[in-house]
Amino acid sequence: MGVVYMEAQAMEVPAIGSNRMGAKELIIDGVTGLLVPPKTPPAIAEALSKLIADPELRHRLGKAGRQNVL
């Protein structure tokens, strides 16, 4: 279980995780956070850039993530 993803979502922080193991059970891609393929630094960088550039996306994913945890 990906406790770190749950903790991030509880604090309304959008989570980025790889689409395997605990992350894929807690993160709904594009709804409560972003999923990327495992071991792909370029995909992680792209997801981070996307969140940095879009405050509305960060807010929406954060709110939805909190609701997901609750």
Side-chain angles (χ1 to χ4, degrees), residues 42-65:
I44 296 168
E46 183 179 333
L48 284 168
S49 294
K50 189 175 184 177
L51 290 176
I52 290 168
D54 192 341
E56 174 55 36
L57 177 63
R58 289 194 311 267
H59 179 75
R60 184 172 45 82
L61 295 178
K63 290 285 185 189

Side-chain angles (χ1 to χ4, degrees), residues 1-61:
M1 179 148 198
V3 176
V4 69
Y5 304 113
M6 195 180 307
E7 290 172 342
Q9 289 179 346
M11 299 306 295
E12 296 186 8
V13 174
I16 299 171
S18 64
N19 55 2
R20 56 184 291 216
M21 300 173 101
K24 71 178 181 178
E25 280 78 32
L26 292 168
I27 298 173
I28 303 166
D29 190 34
V31 178
T32 63
L34 300 174
L35 290 174
V36 297
K39 299 180 182 178
T40 55
I44 296 168
E46 183 179 333
L48 284 168
S49 294
K50 189 175 184 177
L51 290 176
I52 290 168
D54 192 341
E56 174 55 36
L57 177 63
R58 289 194 311 267
H59 179 75
R60 184 172 45 82
L61 295 178

